[in-house]
Every structure is written in structure tokens, then in C-alpha cells.
Amino acid sequence: MFYSYIKKIKNLTVGELEVASMITAGLTYLETAKRIGKSINTVRGRIKSIYFKLGVENSVQLTNLHQALDTRFSAADFFWNIIKIILFLGW
């Protein structure tokens, strides 16, 4: 399971990873939009793409996915650590 989700996560854009890290940390769409300096519609679009790419339907499933893969990282750091793993393994 772990490697199949890493392969899915590596398909996320930097913007999607940024949004995913904020959503799994508990920020609302509006709070996320303000932090990244984008519109709430941009955040909604990125969320829709994240859910599609990862095969989840909502932020609860996204957060549960994070917890299932690795509970050692905080939600905010999780997706950035996945990027490091992907770069290290050369995927």
C-alpha cells in the first residue's frame, strides 16, 4: 500500500502538495487560500485534483491516508517528506 500511494503522491504538483499539507493540518479552504495568496476557487480546484489523483473523496480520507502511511510526521510535514523520499529513490 505504501509504495502505491507514494507513486500517486509523486503525481501531485507543488501547489497541490502545498494545499494538501495545509488541509491535513486542519486549515480551512479560506485559511489555505490566504496563506498561499490564491483565491478560494484555486484551492477548491487543487483539492478536487488532489482527491482525484489520490483516490480519496474528502479531507477526512486525505488525513486518514496520511495517518495510515506514516504517523511519525506532522500532517503539515508529511507531503514534503514524501517528496524527499521520491527524490532520494529517484522516482
Side-chain angles (χ1 to χ4, degrees):
M1 179 179 117
F2 181 75
Y3 291 109
S4 67
Y5 277 107
I6 288 179
K7 288 180 181 180
K8 289 180 181 183
I9 290 168
K10 79 173 189 161
N11 292 324
L12 298 179
T13 66
V14 172
E16 291 166 349
L17 288 166
E18 184 177 36
V19 169
S21 69
M22 292 181 189
I23 295 301
T24 58
L27 274 66
T28 65
Y29 290 7
L30 183 58
E31 291 168 332
T32 300
K34 288 179 180 178
R35 286 213 182 164
I36 65 172
K38 302 287 183 184
S39 74
I40 195 165
N41 288 330
T42 297
V43 171
R44 285 184 182 126
R46 288 181 183 176
I47 290 292
K48 185 176 179 180
S49 179
I50 291 164
Y51 291 173
F52 175 77
K53 289 178 180 180
L54 297 182
V56 298
E57 296 179 10
N58 55 50
S59 61
V60 172
Q61 288 181 352
L62 182 63
T63 302
N64 288 342
L65 172 61
H66 156 253
Q67 292 172 346
L69 293 176
D70 194 344
T71 57
R72 293 176 297 161
F73 302 122
S74 72
D77 294 334
F78 172 73
F79 288 99
W80 296 114
N81 283 306
I82 292 295
I83 291 172
K84 291 176 191 174
I85 291 169
I86 291 167
L87 292 174
F88 176 75
L89 295 176
W91 287 343

